[in-house]
Amino acid sequence: MPVDGFSLGLANAPIFVDNALDPHGNQVVPVTYVCCNFRSSLTPEGQAVTVQMALVDTGSSDCELREDFLRQLGALPVVARGAVYETVAGRQIF
């Protein structure tokens, strides 16, 4: 299914991490990871990038993919110009 210029494919069943503890012994928010493939919607038969443990954010309408993976996908459609995104680390990406 195309999402923001990508074609996502789930390669394996989700991995659920529940009741995890941080280094100080405090419980952290449960998270879900999946193995998924990314492809450019401009070249759906082209190069695919597989992310073995992609973090699922059910409240997000976009996904974040490392620059080296994006370069492997080749041409991507422009979805929005001038959009500002904030990463989970609080950094702003333009």
Side-chain angles (χ1 to χ4, degrees), residues 46-68:
Q47 174 74 27
V49 171
T50 301
V51 177
Q52 295 299 325
M53 287 188 69
L55 176 63
V56 175
D57 182 352
T58 58
S60 179
S61 59
D62 296 314
C63 63
E64 189 174 319
L65 195 59
R66 289 192 336 229
E67 184 177 354
D68 57 322

Side-chain angles (χ1 to χ4, degrees), residues 5-92:
F6 296 102
S7 199
L8 301 174
L10 298 180
N12 295 314
I15 298 169
F16 300 100
V17 179
D18 198 2
N19 296 324
L21 302 177
D22 69 14
H24 303 288
N26 300 316
Q27 186 172 3
V28 296
V29 177
V31 295
T32 301
Y33 292 93
V34 295
C35 177
C36 64
N37 299 313
F38 292 84
R39 293 181 189 269
S40 171
S41 61
L42 295 178
T43 54
E45 299 302 321
Q47 174 74 27
V49 171
T50 301
V51 177
Q52 295 299 325
M53 287 188 69
L55 176 63
V56 175
D57 182 352
T58 58
S60 179
S61 59
D62 296 314
C63 63
E64 189 174 319
L65 195 59
R66 289 192 336 229
E67 184 177 354
D68 57 322
F69 288 154
L70 288 172
R71 291 186 189 284
Q72 293 178 44
L73 295 177
L76 296 170
V78 175
V79 177
R81 291 195 188 278
V84 177
Y85 293 93
E86 184 174 327
T87 68
V88 72
R91 295 188 347 221
Q92 288 191 349

